[in-house]
Amino acid sequence: TFRNGIDVRLFRRSEAMRQPVAVLVGRFVEKKGGEYFLRALGLLRAQGLAVRGVMIGDGPLRPMLESLAREVGAYVEFTGFLPPPQVRERIGGASLVVVPSVTAADGDSEGLPTVILEAQAMSTPVVATRHAGNAEGVQEGRSALLVDERDVPALADAIRYFIEHPEAVASFGAAGRAFVETNFDIERQAA
């Protein structure tokens, strides 16, 4: 099979300290599940966990997401679109990347979001939903935690796990980097 590939050489984490931050990257459309990310952040804040979210991207749902963030008390930064080097820097400095994809009301769904591969290439753990190709792009329980679509408490618990366990961030991150080098390196795919 020919899989998605990325140039793993572009993705090298600096040894900068990671922050207790969860990052979402993508267009602000229904299938990206941004709503559930914000609800999970709000739930964690209500439970007393000060985790910061970063939403990198833009799209038609941005006004709705910004007002939802205020409504649920999510502590989140909306950056708009960023150039790839800045996206990589944000991913590499975070505790995890969240990919809460859902099947949209009109049936629209994801393939395998590239950010799943990019996060692992940056040695950053992934929390994703069991959706479309997401599971194929990770090693569940080793480089990523998977939750069901729209399950806000499970999403919140998975985010909490990485915020509270820096050693898990390191071990999942290392497993993800190795997994992507083996399975999704563009040069190996092309060969």
Side-chain angles (χ1 to χ4, degrees):
T1 56
F2 187 80
R3 301 179 177 211
N4 295 25
I6 58 170
D7 183 350
V8 296
R9 279 150 297 282
L10 280 175
F11 297 86
R12 280 276 175 229
R13 243 195 107 238
S14 70
E15 285 313 301
M17 281 296 293
R18 289 188 188 268
Q19 303 298 318
V21 168
V23 173
L24 179 148
V25 182
R27 284 190 63 237
F28 298 164
V29 293
E30 187 186 353
K31 71 178 176 182
K32 293 292 183 184
E35 170 190 343
Y36 304 100
F37 178 56
L38 293 172
R39 292 186 185 283
L41 291 175
L43 178 59
L44 288 168
R45 201 147 177 221
Q47 293 169 351
L49 186 70
V51 54
R52 194 158 62 84
V54 175
M55 293 188 76
I56 300 173
D58 213 328
L61 294 185
R62 182 166 179 168
M64 181 279 276
L65 293 169
E66 288 178 332
S67 88
L68 179 65
R70 289 190 293 275
E71 183 190 316
V72 301
Y75 180 35
V76 66
E77 173 191 1
F78 289 87
T79 67
F81 286 115
L82 295 176
Q86 284 186 39
V87 175
R88 290 196 291 269
E89 193 180 313
R90 292 294 191 113
I91 289 173
S95 294
L96 68 153
V97 166
V98 182
V99 187
S101 325
V102 298
T103 301
D106 64 4
D108 192 15
S109 72
E110 302 266 28
L112 167 56
T114 308
V115 70
I116 285 182
L117 305 180
E118 294 177 347
Q120 292 174 106
M122 292 297 291
S123 304
T124 300
V126 173
V127 168
T129 50
R130 292 186 183 90
H131 170 90
N134 287 1
E136 289 163 39
V138 299
Q139 285 183 298
E140 184 171 4
R142 292 200 62 217
S143 71
L145 294 177
L146 298 180
V147 300
D148 290 335
E149 291 186 27
R150 299 182 169 84
D151 187 340
V152 171
L155 187 60
D157 285 347
I159 294 169
R160 171 188 288 277
Y161 177 72
F162 289 117
I163 297 297
E164 292 186 339
H165 298 92
E167 70 288 353
V169 173
S171 64
F172 274 68
R177 174 73 195 186
F179 177 67
V180 169
E181 282 179 352
T182 303
N183 294 286
F184 293 97
D185 177 5
I186 193 95
E187 289 197 358
R188 288 194 189 189
Q189 290 298 334

